[in-house]
Amino acid sequence: MASELEPELQAIDHSLLDCSAEEIAGKWLQATDLTREVYQHLAHYVPQIYCRGPNPHPQKEDMLAQQVLLGPMEWYLCGEDPTFGFSKLERANKPSHLCGRVFKVGEPTYSCRDCAVDPTCVLCMKCFLGSIHRDHRYRMTTSGGGGFCDCGDTEAWKEGPYCQKHDLNTSETDEDEDPLVHLSEDVIARTYNIFAIMFRYAVEILTWEKESELPAELETEEQTDTYYCMLFNDEVHTYEQVIYTLQKAVNCTQKEAIGFATTVDRDGRRSVRYGDFQYCEQAKSVIVRNTSRQTKPLKVQVMHSSIVAHQNFGLKLLSWLGSIIGFSDGLRRILCQVGLQEGPDGENSSLVDRLMLSDSKLWKGARSVYHQLFMSSLLMDLKYKKLFAIRFAKNYERLQSDYVTDDHDREFSVADLSVQIFTVPSLARMLITEENLMTTIIRTFMDHLRHRDSQGRFQFERYTALQAFKFRRVQSLILDLKYVLISKPTEWSDELRQKFLEGFDAFLELLKCMQGMDPITRQVGQHIEMEPEWEAAFTLQMKLTHVISMMQDWCALDEKVLIEAYKKCLAVLMQCHGGFTDGEQPITLSICGHSVETIRYCVSQEKVSIHLPVSRLLAGLHVLLSKSEVAYKFPELLPLSELSPPMLIEHPLRCLVLCAQVHAGMWRRNGFSLVNQIYYYHNVKCRREMFDKDIIMLQTGVSMMDPNHFLMIMLSRFELYQIFSTPDYGKRFSSEVTHKDVVQQNNTLIEEMLYLIIMLVGERFSPGVGQVNATDEIKREIIHQLSIKPMAHSELVKSLPEDENKETGMEAVIETVAHFRKPGLTGRGMYELKPECAKEFNLYFYHFSRAEQSKAEEAQRKLKRQNREDTALPPPVLPPFCPLFASLVNILQSDVMLCIMRTILQWAVEHNGYAWSESMLQRVLHLIGMALQEEKQHLQNVVEEHVVTFAFTQKISKPGEAPNNSPSILAMLETLQNAPYLEVHKDMIRWILKTFNAIKKIRESSSTSPVAETEGTIMEESSRDKDKAERKRKAEIARLRREKIMAQMCEMQRHFIDENKELFQQTLELEASASTVLENSPVVSDKTLIALGPAKTQVSEQRQFVTCILCQEEQEVKVENKAMVLAAFVQRSTVLSKNRSKVIEDPEKHDPLFMHPDLSCGTHTGSCGHVMHAHCWQS
């Protein structure tokens, strides 16, 4: 067929080449109706140039189009030969200070981490190499295509907005100058005429939906029966499906089918058959039939060849317009005017609007071409960029809806241009105030998530495949909201306040739909049959994490906004949980003479949700009230008196109890979905707006209520109230052997509750909670990560939370807390913690996982042993709380807390009668240490004539009250110091007693507070005398035992020497000769060469350290240290036997150490080589 068409093409080419562009342009200049003339010209010539056969001829088509179609337009626009005309325009044009280079797919882009306003601000390679940013910290990425270089945009860079090339243009260019002044009026008029006609033509033909007839202005008398079967791209069908279908439908080879499929994927469409209507329709029906079995069928259209020809030229025309406006900013301005001018149909009738609103109907190639035109025209003209941004914002909801229902990737959607508009700070502010953009984005997002439960919360459980697909696509709206918020305002107008707060209201509505979503109930009896859907809710939470943080950052910048936002958030939280209307029963709890009214709620029986974004946002805003001191400046404007602390703490506390119960193994039957949720709750990606905020909310509640009341509510939620409120309940409970699992669960829950109290008192490194700054927070994170082990840069960065700009803040502080060890043979450089930072280590750091905590403890104890220090890991000295949280420390000296401590210590003292664990005791010791550190700080920083109300040392010196009359906490600690079963904790107890004495001395030396009661002192002294006598008795027993063993050894040696006198005499002579040589030989290090023989080198003694495999304690091998042993297995061996038939007659009397000459059997001893303490092996 191709050979038959070739002469015809040559003939047409010859006739077309005779056309004169100058003559046609002259004719147009004389025309009274230019639009009609141009359309007639296009109607006649376009079908003769494009789509003349089954296969395109792009080079020939482009050459003819330039000669016959584009040439006349260029002549008309310039009024002379375009070669000279465009050169004149270029010379008259003042060069732009904007680069605007549009990136291709895979092209490298550079972003300065120090100067970019946000990570979307990038430079092309040329601009980057010619800028100051090449010497800064920068990030290099590859472009996905579609963006452009931000060089010259002063809003994109904090400093150095211009490279060397574009810096030259700034002196010549005035941003407010009208570029049209550089064009003559004739050129302006002609350009306006031709741009208006050609742009309208391109938009009309590209958005034309009829398949067999053209618009009336482009119809010709001659109608041919030539059609194309046009196959369109989608993101549903695979390459293999398309290739197989095409082979069947158009009877082509596999190679041809692969070519068709590749072009369809790249350009968005491709003709797969050329011929008459019936011939093409037949191929279409086969394709539709073969691809409609499981999913929607491939899109196929039978299109008349003239329509395809005009559409191909329309794309060529848009590319031509993009290249023409590059000659002059004036031409760009005219094209922008033409594009945004309202048509006769009113709103959304401009050419730009029509293209945007038809975006989802266009194929991939057409979209890419007009997106590039928008970027090189509308987004490069600062005046029209603002007008385009307004049109984009007005159509935002429609554009996003089109994108969500479309199946193409976002990079091929016009909605993707949001990143070019919303990240410009001035445009973002303008769109918030004038177009209420924040509210529009959030409402549009919520409109697409209509699947709710009876309480109005999002429900992802029974999502259909279509709903899941829409949910994935609608997440891009969260990214748009992030773009709008990423640049913080420096000045606030009343309009900006009002519109931001309207957007904040909409955001609270979104969070309200998330509060309490995906509730779970503990599975009892049988394992859950089907894992519930949990990923969608966490995906939403992760996407919103940075947005929630940025919302708080915006609120922190203006006091009025912060106060209003706080009120609004509190009101929404009260709506969500108004007065505990869930039907829980009220109960009264009483311990140590304190009573509190609360509700009966069992996390292990009721529904509980891990999603509480409204509570957590309020916690964040409460911290900001403290950080910005608004709480102290304007207390009358804040609803602090309306706050109900029990309501604030209830749901975060339930969530933390859930985590504790999961750790205790109570939720095993709920499957992996819950395990995964708990993992992400603590994960570095989510914890800042989940776990961390729950801790802050509990700190907020504790600081506003009686700590005794809080602890009783906490005991109730942890389901431990009965254990600590009933005397001897623990003893009675542990005696029931049948409840072994329950005892273990309760022990774990007590440990987790104590850990939570440690976190509430100790985690004060968030600015606003403690008197610290953001740098201190990062330092502490790094110190604790490096306490586990030395880390490489990449490993350390992964363990730190990123902000919205993908920064961790690590580089600013790393040198103050760590040394960098250069890479050796392994090829990895490592950061090692500076020794002076080890004192800031907190064993119960709240971002440690269980495994990390264990590794960190082991590493720090090992370090202390190597430095010959005691192995106690006392709590570090903490910064003071901010005034709003200052009362929180009283939880440590509250009556209920002292009761909990006394009870657990009592269990440890009478360790055989109670169910308790060493981990539980370790946490109590840590809490006592924290309280002592706190009191010490209070005493050292006390102001003149100010009474220190924190008197923990006095309270732990008092014995328990009747009827128990238990000893004081201090007395029990001294008893435990000598307990043989608590060897590991002795150093910590010793540190506590030492600190107690130091505090007592400070109190005695100052007049601010009386010393501890005499009763406590007497008890302490009597306890010490008892301790001293006990130690003396044990030492005497040990001495007698050693003497007896030594006497036995001496007797054995003497007996051996008597029997082997000759051998012993030779040994003495050899030793004497060797010792004379040794005295004169040089002492060398063990790392140099060593000589053997009579003149052997004297080697300095090596210290040997071994680790007990059972208790993991490291110890130096010395005679005076604890005995170390190896486990061995002794057995008969006949491997070297010469008489295997011999039988031992009396095995009881047989001496295995004596070897008979016939070598009938020997003794073989095998050992694994692991070293243990003798007492560890025996126990």
Side-chain angles (χ1 to χ4, degrees), residues 679-736:
Y679 168 77
Y680 278 107
Y681 173 72
H682 290 99
N683 186 265
V684 69
K685 290 182 180 177
C686 299
R687 70 184 181 213
R688 181 171 275 182
E689 293 303 331
M690 293 190 85
F691 172 63
D692 292 6
K693 287 295 190 293
D694 283 345
I695 296 294
I696 289 173
M697 186 51 103
L698 291 190
Q699 289 175 320
T700 302
V702 179
S703 64
M704 291 192 291
M705 65 192 292
D706 184 332
N708 292 297
H709 294 173
F710 170 78
L711 287 169
M712 283 189 281
I713 292 171
M714 181 189 269
L715 283 169
S716 174
R717 297 296 170 268
F718 271 90
E719 299 170 32
L720 300 169
Y721 172 72
Q722 200 172 6
I723 292 177
F724 289 97
S725 64
T726 311
D728 286 337
Y729 181 85
K731 193 167 192 174
R732 194 167 73 247
F733 193 79
S734 65
S735 64
E736 298 176 20

Side-chain angles (χ1 to χ4, degrees), residues 121 377 392:
C121 302
S377 57
F392 188 87

Side-chain angles (χ1 to χ4, degrees), residues 879-1104:
F881 277 113
C882 289
L884 200 60
F885 291 88
S887 62
L888 205 152
V889 293
N890 291 325
I891 196 173
L892 291 171
Q893 60 170 356
S894 64
D895 293 339
V896 178
M897 186 73 248
L898 291 167
C899 170
I900 293 169
M901 288 177 177
R902 190 178 287 112
T903 304
I904 293 170
L905 289 173
Q906 187 76 38
W907 293 348
V909 170
E910 303 172 26
H911 66 284
N912 292 326
Y914 293 89
W916 65 286
S917 67
E918 283 195 38
S919 183
M920 196 189 295
L921 176 66
Q922 191 177 10
R923 284 160 166 77
V924 168
L925 295 177
H926 194 89
L927 278 165
I928 293 170
M930 290 176 80
L932 292 173
Q933 290 277 40
E934 199 68 41
E935 184 169 351
K936 194 174 177 183
Q937 288 287 97
H938 281 222
L939 289 168
Q940 288 172 346
N941 301 328
V942 69
V943 185
E944 285 293 325
E945 299 179 3
H946 183 78
V947 178
V948 175
T949 57
F950 196 86
F952 183 74
T953 50
Q954 293 177 15
K955 294 187 178 185
I956 64 171
S957 302
K958 293 179 184 176
E961 296 178 3
N964 296 335
N965 293 324
S966 60
S968 69
I969 289 174
L970 187 65
M972 285 193 280
L973 285 172
E974 290 181 328
T975 305
L976 291 172
Q977 189 184 6
N978 305 310
Y981 54 89
L982 292 177
E983 195 69 35
V984 182
H985 304 295
K986 282 187 178 177
D987 285 343
M988 185 64 186
I989 297 171
R990 201 177 300 122
W991 178 87
I992 288 172
L993 296 172
K994 183 179 169 186
T995 310
F996 175 86
N997 289 328
I999 292 169
K1000 202 171 88 169
K1001 284 177 184 173
I1002 296 171
R1003 281 197 178 277
E1004 286 169 354
S1005 63
S1006 66
S1007 58
T1008 56
S1009 177
V1011 296
E1013 284 80 347
T1014 319
E1015 184 186 350
T1017 312
I1018 292 167
M1019 187 174 290
E1020 184 184 334
E1021 287 172 0
S1022 65
S1023 175
R1024 281 186 184 162
D1025 291 342
K1026 190 177 175 184
D1027 176 31
K1028 198 171 180 182
E1030 178 67 15
R1031 276 205 300 268
K1032 191 173 180 181
R1033 188 181 68 79
K1034 285 186 177 179
E1036 185 64 19
I1037 292 169
R1039 184 181 65 76
L1040 291 169
R1041 187 164 174 267
R1042 277 199 304 273
E1043 285 177 0
K1044 185 179 177 184
I1045 292 168
M1046 290 301 293
Q1048 285 176 345
M1049 287 176 69
C1050 286
E1051 178 62 26
M1052 288 170 71
Q1053 281 178 342
R1054 190 185 58 74
H1055 181 68
F1056 182 82
I1057 290 168
D1058 286 345
E1059 286 187 359
N1060 302 279
K1061 280 183 180 177
E1062 291 178 9
L1063 182 66
F1064 188 72
Q1065 189 62 38
Q1066 290 172 9
T1067 308
L1068 286 174
E1069 288 169 6
L1070 273 170
E1071 282 183 357
S1073 62
S1075 63
T1076 55
V1077 177
L1078 281 172
E1079 285 170 9
N1080 301 322
S1081 62
V1083 178
V1084 292
S1085 75
D1086 58 346
K1087 291 183 181 176
T1088 56
L1089 295 171
I1090 293 172
L1092 303 174
K1096 65 182 179 185
T1097 310
Q1098 186 177 348
V1099 180
S1100 58
E1101 184 187 357
Q1102 287 186 1
R1103 291 170 63 192
Q1104 185 184 0

